[in-house]
Amino acid sequence: MDLIQHLSVGFETVLQPSNILFCFIGCFLGTAIGVLPGIGPMGTIAILLPVTFGFPPEASLIMLAGIYYGAQYGGSTTAILINLPGEASSAVTAIDGHQMALKGRAGVALSVAALGSFVAGTVATLVIALFAVPLTSMALSFGPPDYFALMVVGLVASIALAHGSILKGLTMIVFGLLLGCVGTDIYTGSLRFTMGTLNLADGIPIVGFGAGLYAISEILRGLEHETDRVPDHARITTLMPTRKDLSEATGPVLRGTVLGSVLGVLPGGGAMLSSFASYTIEKKISRKPETFGHGALPGVAGPESANNAGAQTSFIPMLTLGIPSNPIMALMIGALILQGIAPGPNLVSEQPKLFWGVIASMWVGNLMLVVLNLPLVGLWVRLLRVKNHFLFPAILGFSVIGVYSIGNNPFDLGVMAFFGAFGYLLTKLKCEPAPLLLGFVLGPMLEEYMRRSMILSGGDWMVFLERPISASLLALSAIVLVIVLLPGVRRSRNEVFVEED
Amino acid sequence: MSPDLSRRIAIHRNHIFALIFVAISLGFGIHAWTSMNIGTPADMGPGFFPLMLSLMLTMLSLGVGFVPPEPDEEPLTVVSLRVLVLVLSGPVIFALSIRTLGLLPSVLITVFTVSFASRFARLRNSALLAGGFTAFCVVVFHSLLNLPIPLWGSWITG
């Protein structure tokens, strides 16, 4: 009955009026920025991070979490209505969601996406509540080689099921790890690759780096072929799915939820990976695979549930191990540290109100999103009608304020401009920014655990293969890598992504 | 798709990629090798991990260079220099003016300048956009959220 007791602590925390308000603000903002292509949860959380300094820790985390999963809801609205992913994780939803919209079923696609997300959110909340404590105690028995191997699995997984060339993905990861080396060496205190400036002594500022890589390069891409035309959006007639729709969606929603919950836990997993994987599976097991790409309901229901479940369970490594599974979780850890709270396996025993409050808030937030978003869909449509040449200066304006407000250091903005240009170049060379950022986030920890393992083993590399946990994790990543390089898998992987274009 | 907006580049993507990343990895590697203590596997110095990574990065990026282009690869198009400079000037202008001028003038100038990266920008619209956005930011960030960035900078308050 621990579970009920834990959840009641959580609900007590989140049901305080002020926390409900913060949860609502987070979900609302998250949906809005999710709807708008070009500004994502990363930039928004960055802007609000310094603001949350004055809040109680629970309120701050509850609001920031709401932005993250709210963005998953918002992203699918854009994907379905105008065939543009509002968020990267809704790219797959656009394939069948927009086809449904063209057939006059936009409302059904939207409500199935919302209901699927709600089911997924509910299950994922329970999964976190059930597994967080056992995982925390397991985490306490993890040695440095095990942590190292866990991060390797995450890095490999992040390219295996993502978009684009595997070789380029690997290159991006290694480059990200290398950029993570910039700054002060933890063991000797000597400065590495700082080019003589103390501004880089703490490493490359992550928010400037991320905002450049995503916001600026997205703006540049949007300016390549400008048109004056407002994107056509599909009309919404009825929101109500029929009984047949619901029974058709049930299987995909449940499978997507399970898949998302599992993949979200992996470092490097999370929302995007889950939605791609779910689409592939639904298409493979469908009795009518030819309908995929032409408005198949399971192609919306599965990925939308998966990305929401994945977004939520990606909190598990952050809350239980203190490992960020994606850059947004790295910012969440930043928010905790700002509040003077050390993330790691002790969080659950030292901060039970915070820990369970955040988990319970996810369920409350998901409920709010379902209740609010379907009626508000008209508002989001209007937001989408704002022309790009009015929108991008505003997005850039928000981003610069966010980047600056983190450290009050103008240097961070230089980093943003530099990596904006660099990130644009990378997209032109068909590279994904996501593995780069993940490598950057995990780099310092990966190095620390590698060095610690090697000190303990006296320089013997076999230490990674002798411990059962690390050996099996490393074997798993090797298997994943070999599988995705097999010609047959490569072909079907390409097929999934071709349809998206 | 007017030609004045974008330029086409005829070199194969993967070659550009390999060239850039080999150069980067060699730069990092040589720097680590010459200026850092590498150490031994049992006692790694600050240079060990970076050197290891730069060797991996060199090999991986060379590998990308040998991947043949896709048969239907569309030519590389990039934005014009004017657009690139105007967009990137945003963070730079903000960085240079935030301390001296303060949040209000800084946001105003940044948003106004950046808006001209669009070919649909008109003086009147840009002024309205910059003014409106600045007012919004002042209300939200300064009045409501109490973001600790001064509204007016050192040149104005003296």
Side-chain angles (χ1 to χ4, degrees), chain B residues 133-149:
Chain B
F133 182 77
T134 309
F136 176 81
C137 285
V138 168
V139 170
V140 172
F141 294 122
H142 192 79
S143 311
L144 290 176
L145 294 172
N146 289 320
L147 208 67
I149 304 176

Side-chain angles (χ1 to χ4, degrees), chain A residues 137-149:
Chain A
S137 44
M138 205 171 91
L140 290 171
S141 67
F142 265 38
D146 308 326
Y147 272 102
F148 174 85

Side-chain angles (χ1 to χ4, degrees), chain A residues 429-447:
Chain A
L429 298 175
K430 297 203 163 175
C431 293
E432 290 286 297
L436 175 66
L437 208 51
L438 187 71
F440 173 76
V441 167
L442 291 180
M445 284 192 214
L446 193 75
E447 181 186 10

Side-chain angles (χ1 to χ4, degrees), chain B residues 81-93:
Chain B
L81 195 64
R82 191 185 71 98
V83 171
L84 188 72
V85 168
L86 276 170
V87 170
L88 294 182
S89 74
V92 175
I93 293 174

